[in-house]
Amino acid sequence: MNAIDASFQRLRAEGKTALIPFLTMGDPDLATSVEIIQTLEQAGADMIELGVPYSDPLADGPVIQRASERALGHGRVTLEDCIQVAENARQAGVKLPFILFTYYNPILQLGLQRFFKLVTAKGISGLIVPDLPIEEDAELREMAEQAGIHLIPLVAPTSNDRVVRIAAKARGFVYCVSSLGVTGVRADFHQGIDEFLSTVRGATDTPIAVGFGISSREQVERFSKQADGVIVGSAIVRKIEEVVPLLQSPSSKQEGLAQIHAFVSALKG
């Protein structure tokens, strides 16, 4: 069984909702990303989105864009480097399912065959490619199915009649976008978010997870009533940004990791 499916199955039996943090690989450096992943697991994360830094993103807001700039500012961070982080984290003892969040061009540059050979070998269970619409994902989807890796789709309140078609092909979970526009911390969400989530829930038996703009325990609790998972990206990346100076010094790195742990533990509740 795919590790994402096993996690949702376990959480559902326990009556719990998955907390799914996102972080940018290589922010502030690749070795520290492994330590942050360990910290997120210890803080209660149930699975983790591994974001590949990209200089021309579609969905990333300013917080994640700055994280990509920091990661890429230290030199070339490739898709292969980010996949290797997953293996390094496994060797460090991390058990959580990994979901790789990347754009399609880096995958094409690497080559589909080599890409799936690597992600399969390095312990990645899911894949999110936000710039690849379902109408054009047949080749990637087929190869993902053959590799046993879930291609996780995004749906937005504006997806309208595409919601049913997207949800029907979902594997792992359906990523429900809570707000229009790019990622980023928000106080309010799309006006019709509750109706939208009900529509997605009714369209599939696959778990649904909500993301974009969620930054507090109160917001995690709010969406836990309607979704099987809650994704927190910018708020965690912003916390990492706050403690980058601590993470970059051997004498203060543990303090930086402790602050990330405390923030994610509070989100988990």
Side-chain angles (χ1 to χ4, degrees):
M1 177 184 288
N2 184 291
I4 296 171
D5 297 335
S7 290
F8 275 118
Q9 190 176 83
R10 172 182 58 79
L11 289 164
R12 183 168 293 177
E14 296 172 353
K16 296 179 180 177
T17 302
L19 177 66
I20 311 173
F22 168 99
L23 74 156
T24 300
M25 298 292 91
D27 177 30
D29 57 72
L30 292 168
T32 303
S33 291
V34 174
E35 295 177 271
I36 293 173
I37 292 169
Q38 291 178 285
T39 300
L40 296 177
E41 182 174 60
Q42 293 161 3
D46 296 293
M47 51 191 86
I48 298 178
E49 287 185 14
L50 307 179
V52 178
Y54 194 54
S55 59
D56 188 24
L58 173 72
D60 296 340
V63 173
I64 296 176
Q65 286 184 31
R66 290 198 300 271
S68 291
E69 291 171 1
R70 287 193 297 274
L72 296 172
H74 300 304
R76 189 165 178 259
V77 177
T78 67
L79 178 57
E80 287 189 78
D81 292 332
C82 297
I83 295 170
Q84 183 61 41
V85 168
E87 181 175 66
N88 293 346
R90 289 279 181 252
Q91 292 175 353
V94 174
K95 305 294 185 187
L96 294 182
F98 291 143
I99 301 157
L100 193 69
F101 187 113
T102 186
Y103 290 89
Y104 196 42
N105 193 46
I107 297 174
L108 286 177
Q109 288 188 344
L110 188 57
L112 293 177
Q113 294 285 350
R114 178 161 175 73
F115 172 73
F116 278 105
K117 183 178 180 180
L118 285 173
V119 295
T120 303
K122 307 301 184 184
I124 290 171
S125 302
L127 180 63
I128 298 175
V129 187
D131 62 340
L132 187 63
I134 192 170
E135 292 81 1
E136 300 176 20
D137 73 356
E139 184 177 15
L140 190 74
R141 178 172 299 282
E142 181 179 352
M143 296 186 72
E145 294 274 0
Q146 291 174 356
I149 293 172
H150 289 331
L151 183 58
I152 297 162
L154 281 83
V155 292
T158 51
S159 296
N160 300 321
D161 58 351
R162 296 175 73 246
V163 167
V164 173
R165 284 191 288 130
I166 294 171
K169 291 188 176 182
R171 297 290 184 273
F173 62 88
V174 184
Y175 190 135
C176 301
V177 176
S178 64
S179 310
L180 302 182
V182 297
T183 61
V185 173
R186 289 177 172 81
D188 300 306
F189 300 95
H190 188 271
Q191 190 173 7
I193 183 64
D194 297 319
E195 181 180 359
F196 165 62
L197 293 176
S198 295
T199 299
V200 180
R201 176 71 82 190
T204 180
D205 292 329
T206 302
I208 67 173
V210 186
F212 276 46
I214 298 169
S215 62
S216 67
R217 175 60 194 162
E218 290 72 21
Q219 292 172 342
V220 171
E221 288 181 337
R222 181 236 197 272
F223 287 114
S224 292
K225 298 172 184 174
Q226 300 168 285
D228 305 287
V230 178
I231 301 156
V232 181
S234 293
I236 291 174
V237 175
R238 187 174 62 182
K239 169 55 67 177
I240 293 171
E241 181 177 52
E242 289 175 4
V243 301
V244 160
L246 297 175
L247 296 173
Q248 290 179 319
S249 171
S251 63
S252 58
K253 175 172 277 189
Q254 290 307 312
E255 171 57 26
L257 294 172
Q259 290 192 30
I260 296 170
H261 186 286
F263 183 76
V264 176
S265 293
L267 288 173
K268 181 70 175 179

